[in-house]
């Protein structure tokens, strides 16, 4: 049992970590003082005779799921020079011993203590060992006597293994190092019962245990702990929102920890994943715009979040590392009161200006200033010209979104993906007051009522039980995205009761929940929207479908590859889109909805009875945008996978009518553009039938917003400061707080929103 790392040194610095309390063992009616460790579900309990009796003994228990091959506890809290109790099940019995060690090697039998088994249970799901330990409170060591601190606060340690001991029949069996360990706080001064009660239990009796204090099941108060470092701000997630927040908080001099569950993406940030043709360069799949379509074609797509059942990036940059990078400066409507924003948000211009200064848009991303593979833009412009659309530079006039088209604009710099990773992340990571931890997943926030004390992660090297604390006035900012932020909230006891109850039933996540009395009921997951989108596939003899992007990874056209490697110019400097357009539309409900189009070479799928030339295919995706009234709900299932519960597209039939009308209007002039042929849908399918039978998942645009909407108390999740209602110091700055679908593909709006959001967090008094 090598309790390595921190167990020998317990520098009792004041930070927060999981704290135990009183509970009743229902089977035995004994009230123990202890802790149910949430990661593995093992309970460690103790009860002592009256302090003044000074009897040098206690009654203890370990209750473990059957998966626990052995479990141990050090009531003193260290591995060295300490009484260590260890047990495991074998053949329906409990095998146990008291151990001791002076080095980080296998602990061996400890002389002095006397163990008596009081109750042992081994069944299909659990094992339980209730014992009396005499001569166990004080023991002698090489440097004098040591005692469990039975009159004050202690920090017991636990150890757990999923690997069995070498000889389970032998109480002194050797075993490998524990697979996990941690600590919890326990106020031993409260862990005493009357002499009569204690004597009953110490002799195998049961019953009589009554709660004398409300149970504390979670983490909570500021107490002594081990090595975890406290931070002023903990930012969870490095997507479009998180990186802006991390940069601005660290710029303001705060001590910031940024936690990201994924690994590196761009070459400049440590990424290395590249096709053979890029070997010898520092360019990765994520850097090269022309590799965008291969995000959907790769045999090992490690960048997707595996526990979110729509596309979401779990990698440095989040969605901005893997997206099409279409980038629009937000129009005023994106932050208007009419679209659900608090009045204090309406003037977004200063924040968009800050964003532009860091990340200017480009509609000619190739480093030589030329545009490449533009046939699709020409063909689509010819169609739109028949319908009185104006040709503009879209980001020059963000508010003009009716009957306009222009070249696709991107968040690329120097012919490479930039987004927030090549900009905000680069300045943030250089600051000594910012710490970045990748491959670290936040499971829940640790809280005492409305006060957040820290976050619990999957990395136990960062703090006891993976808990990383906040400084006394510290704050957490969640930026884990529209699906993962809600999941963190559910796992923290924040959200609708049905979602928290799913967490409660999960063996790993359930025990980390705060008591039900502290659950905070908020509409997390409601009010979700995403653009419904429909693909229209065409052919035109001028179009080069670029082999539908199928060759760009393994066999790129040699001259294009060479040109890109030379100076990041050419076709590979663009993602697939070439042209975008917008128009406004009235609906029979009197509301205005906007329609967006994106045109690109190639197609995700073709369904047609026409013969067609595959090398000439192109797609116009039509999206219904700002103004949609449909809303859905997202949440988690029993596996804690985040998913749509109510799909958000076309819950209002008027949305569908308007999109159908927009498609029909667009197609009216196809016959007027020589050579342009609509192949999907083909002439055997009406537009109404095509839209009505469209697979619902295919309507997904990956633009999820609204699951933690900003707005008024009672109907929203965060207030105008982006603070979660019912909490003192928990904030959200990501797509989830946006109440209404933005006008364009959203990462520009999300980053501008984050500029304004983090400014508000810094301005809100009471913080660090
Ligand atoms: N938006 C655009 O503006 N233009 C586009 O062209 C565009 N294309 C796409 C696209 O092609 C795809 C396939 C997808 C999925 C999205 C696209 N979007 C596009 C949408 C845009 O990327 C997203 O709207 C935007 O990135 C959302 O920004 P957020 O800040 O709200 O969230 P992210 O998902 O970007 O980042 C969340 C981060 O948190 C990730 O890094 C994730 O790994 C991390 N995370 C999640 N759970 C965590 C946890 N428990 N602990 C620690 N980290 C966690
Ligand atoms: C976006 O904003 C969308 O979220 C993406 O779906 C879209 O990319 C990009 N921008 C670029 O317009 C499409 C790909 O072009 C398709 O090949 C792919 O099938 C689709 O995403 C998947 O959703």
């Amino acid at each position: 049992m090598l309790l390595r790392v921190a167990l020998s040194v317990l520098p009792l610095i004041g930070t927060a970590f999981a704290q135990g309390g009183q509970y009743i063992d229902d089977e035995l009616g004994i009230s123990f003082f202890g802790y149910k460790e949430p990661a593995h579900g093992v309970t460690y309990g103790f009860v002592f005779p009256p302090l003044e009796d000074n009897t040098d003994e206690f009654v203890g228990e370990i209750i473990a799921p059957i998966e626990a091959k052995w479990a141990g506890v050090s009531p003193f809290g260290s591995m060295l020079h300490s009484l260590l109790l260890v047990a495991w099940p074998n053949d329906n019995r409990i095998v146990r011993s008291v151990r001791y060690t002076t080095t980080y090697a296998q602990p061996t039998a400890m002389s002095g203590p006397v163990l008596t088994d009081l109750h042992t249970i081994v069944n299909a799901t659990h094992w339980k060992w209730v014992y009396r330990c005499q001569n166990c409170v004080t023991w002698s060591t090489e440097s004098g006597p040591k005692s469990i601190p039975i009159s004050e606060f202690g920090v017991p340690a636990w150890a757990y293994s999923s690997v069995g001991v070498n000889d389970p029949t032998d109480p002194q069996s050797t075993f490998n190092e524990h697979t996990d360990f941690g600590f919890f706080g326990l106020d031993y001064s409260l862990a005493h019962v009357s002499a009569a009660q204690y004597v009953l239990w110490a002799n195998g009796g049961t019953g009589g245990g009554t709660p004398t204090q409300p149970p504390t099941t979670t983490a909570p108060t500021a107490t002594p702990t081990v090595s975890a470092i406290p931070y002023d701000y903990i930012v969870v997630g490095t997507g479009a929102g998180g990186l802006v927040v991390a940069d601005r908080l660290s710029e303001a001099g705060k001590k910031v920890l940024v936690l990201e569950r994924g690994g590196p993406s761009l070459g400049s940030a440590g990424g290395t994943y590249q096709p053979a043709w890029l070997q010898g360069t520092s360019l990765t799949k994520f850097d090269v715009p022309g590799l965008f379509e291969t995000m959907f074609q790769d045999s090992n797509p490690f960048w997707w979040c595996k526990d979110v059942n729509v596309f979401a990036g779990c990698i440095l940059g989040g969605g901005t590392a893997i997206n099409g990078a279409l980038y629009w400066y937000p129009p005023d409507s994106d932050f208007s009161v009419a679209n659900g924003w608090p009045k204090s948000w309406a003037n977004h211009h200063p924040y968009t200006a800050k964003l532009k200064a860091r990340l200017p848009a480009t509609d000619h991303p190739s480093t030589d200033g030329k545009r490449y593979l533009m046939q699709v833009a020409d063909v689509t412009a010819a169609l739109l010209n028949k319908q009185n659309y104006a040709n503009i530079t879209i980001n020059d006039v963000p508010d003009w979104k009716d009957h306009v088209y222009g070249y696709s604009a991107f968040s690329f710099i120097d012919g490479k993906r930039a987004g927030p990773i090549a900009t905000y992340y680069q300045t943030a990571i250089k600051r000594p007051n910012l710490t970045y931890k990748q491959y670290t997943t936040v499971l829940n926030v640790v809280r005492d009522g409305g006060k957040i004390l820290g976050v619990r992660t999957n990395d136990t090297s960062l703090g006891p039980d993976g808990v990383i604390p906040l400084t006394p006035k510290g704050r957490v900012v969640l930026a884990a995205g529209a699906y993962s932020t809600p999941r963190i909230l559910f796992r923290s006891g924040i959200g609708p009761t049905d979602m928290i109850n799913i967490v409660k039933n999960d063996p790993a996540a359930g025990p980390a929940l705060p008591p039900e009395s502290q659950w905070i009921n908020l509409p997390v997951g409601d009010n979700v929207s995403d653009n419904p989108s429909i693909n229209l596939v065409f052919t035109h003899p001028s179009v080069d479908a670029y082999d539908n992007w199928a060759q760009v990874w393994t066999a790129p056209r040699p001259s294009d590859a060479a040109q890109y490697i030379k100076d990041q110019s050419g076709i590979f400097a663009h993602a697939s889109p070439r042209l975008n357009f917008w128009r406004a539309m009235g609906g029979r409900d009197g509301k205005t909805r906007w329609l967006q189009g994106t045109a690109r070479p190639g197609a995700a799928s073709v369904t047609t009875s026409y013969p067609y030339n595959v090398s000439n295919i192109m797609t116009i995706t039509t999206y219904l945008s700002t103004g949609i009234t449909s809303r859905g709900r997202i949440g988690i299932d029993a596996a804690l996978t985040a998913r749509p519960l109510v799909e958000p597209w076309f819950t209002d039939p008027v949305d569908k009518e308007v999109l159908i009308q927009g498609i029909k209007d667009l197609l009216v002039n196809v016959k007027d553009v020589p050579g342009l042929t609509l192949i999907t849908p083909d002439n055997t399918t009406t537009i109404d039938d095509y839209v009505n039978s469209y697979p619902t998942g295919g309507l997904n645009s990956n633009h999820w917003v609204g699951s933690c909407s900003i707005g008024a108390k009672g109907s929203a999740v965060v207030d105008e400061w982006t603070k979660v209602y019912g909490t003192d110091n928990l904030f959200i700055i990501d797509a989830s707080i946006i109440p209404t679908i933005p006008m364009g593909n959203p990462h520009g709006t999300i980053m501008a929103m984050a500029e304004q959001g983090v400014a508000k967090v810094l301005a809100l008094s009471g913080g660090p």
Side-chain angles (χ1 to χ4, degrees), residues 292-293 296 311 323-326 535 575-577 580 596 598 600 603-604 621 623 700-703 745-746:
F292 163 63
E293 291 289 339
F296 312 99
F311 285 131
N323 68 13
L326 286 171
N535 287 321
S576 53
N580 290 85
Q596 181 190 341
T598 300
R600 69 172 181 98
T621 306
Y623 297 87
N700 183 350
S701 296
N702 312 306
H703 297 162
N745 315 59

Side-chain angles (χ1 to χ4, degrees), residues 75-345:
F76 181 74
S78 70
M79 176 174 172
L80 299 190
H81 315 287
S82 290
L83 172 101
L84 307 172
L85 294 134
V86 62
W88 58 83
N90 181 55
D91 201 15
N92 291 329
R93 303 156 85 125
I94 297 294
V95 180
R96 80 309 187 261
S97 53
V98 190
R99 308 263 184 135
Y100 188 80
T101 181
T102 57
T103 62
Y104 288 107
Q106 184 79 61
T108 52
M110 182 179 188
S111 60
V114 177
L115 277 182
T116 310
D117 296 330
L118 302 176
H119 310 276
T120 58
I121 297 170
V122 180
N123 64 27
T125 59
H126 279 78
W127 55 270
K128 179 191 287 197
W129 175 44
V130 183
Y131 59 91
R132 178 182 190 178
C133 194
Q134 292 166 282
N135 305 332
C136 287
V137 172
T138 302
W139 57 92
S140 53
T141 76
E142 304 66 19
S143 53
K146 270 199 163 52
S147 296
I148 301 172
I150 56 172
S151 62
E152 58 194 58
F153 202 94
V155 187
W158 57 267
Y160 172 94
S161 184
S162 53
V163 179
V165 303
N166 296 326
D167 179 0
T169 63
D170 178 7
Q172 299 305 331
S173 173
T174 55
F175 42 79
N176 292 339
E177 180 182 352
H178 47 77
T179 49
D180 200 0
F181 74 92
F183 305 86
F184 55 95
L186 198 63
D187 189 347
Y188 280 119
S189 72
L190 302 173
H192 300 262
V193 292
S194 72
Q197 188 67 80
Y198 182 80
V199 168
L200 174 74
W201 291 340
N203 287 287
T206 57
T210 43
T212 54
Q213 52 170 121
T216 12
T217 50
T218 47
T221 46
T223 49
T225 188
V226 285
S227 51
I229 300 167
Y231 292 88
D232 292 341
Y233 281 93
I234 300 176
V235 180
V236 182
T238 63
L243 285 178
V244 175
V245 171
D247 186 48
R248 296 301 183 193
L249 291 175
S250 57
E251 181 186 52
K254 311 299 177 190
K255 188 172 174 193
V256 180
L257 175 67
V258 182
L259 298 172
E260 166 54 50
R261 67 181 284 185
S265 48
L266 302 188
S268 58
T272 55
Y273 186 55
Q274 59 184 193
W277 66 270
L278 286 171
Q279 271 168 23
T281 76
S282 61
L283 298 163
T284 67
K285 179 185 191 91
F286 309 101
D287 287 280
V288 181
L291 291 174
F292 163 63
E293 291 289 339
T294 72
M295 298 297 170
F296 312 99
Q297 301 165 355
D298 200 286
S299 58
N300 175 29
F302 59 87
W303 49 92
W304 300 126
C305 307
K306 301 300 184 295
D307 53 9
V308 177
N309 99 330
V310 298
F311 285 131
C314 269
I315 187 166
L316 173 63
T320 72
I322 52 83
N323 68 13
L326 286 171
Y327 178 53
W328 314 112
Y329 300 145
D332 288 348
S333 60
D334 275 5
F335 294 98
S336 70
V337 172
N339 282 328
W341 289 91
K343 252 209 257 56
S344 55
W345 277 74

Side-chain angles (χ1 to χ4, degrees), residues 21 134 190 302 305 393 397 477 526 561 576 625 678 693 700 753:
Q134 292 166 282
L190 302 173
F302 59 87
C305 307
T393 299
V397 265
V477 182
D526 291 354
S576 53
S625 177
L678 177 70
S693 60
N700 183 350
M753 178 279 290

Side-chain angles (χ1 to χ4, degrees), residues 323-448:
N323 68 13
L326 286 171
Y327 178 53
W328 314 112
Y329 300 145
D332 288 348
S333 60
D334 275 5
F335 294 98
S336 70
V337 172
N339 282 328
W341 289 91
K343 252 209 257 56
S344 55
W345 277 74
N347 178 17
H348 75 82
H349 288 178
Y351 304 101
T352 302
K354 289 179 97 172
L355 172 64
K356 277 156 96 166
R358 297 300 306 273
L359 181 57
T362 177
D363 64 3
H364 48 280
S366 173
T367 53
D368 59 8
K370 297 182 189 155
R371 297 190 176 91
Y372 290 82
L373 203 71
M374 297 308 285
Q375 305 90 339
V376 166
D378 296 338
V379 169
T380 309
L383 179 65
L384 298 172
N385 286 339
K386 308 272 180 217
Q387 300 173 15
N388 298 321
Y389 278 70
N391 176 2
I392 63 169
T393 299
I394 292 163
N395 277 327
D396 284 355
V397 265
D399 286 333
W400 190 7
K401 286 292 185 314
D402 191 14
H403 283 84
V404 291
Y405 71 83
Y407 295 122
S408 300
F410 300 100
S411 55
F412 298 150
I413 296 174
D414 296 336
K416 294 181 289 189
R417 183 184 296 273
I421 316 169
T423 53
Y424 291 90
Y425 170 80
Q426 286 300 341
T427 42
I429 197 74
K430 293 191 178 75
R431 295 197 181 99
N433 54 319
L434 179 137
T435 303
Y436 175 57
K437 297 278 179 199
Q438 58 183 357
Y439 298 120
T440 304
T441 302
V442 170
L443 305 172
N444 55 271
V445 298
V446 174
R447 64 186 177 94
D448 185 8

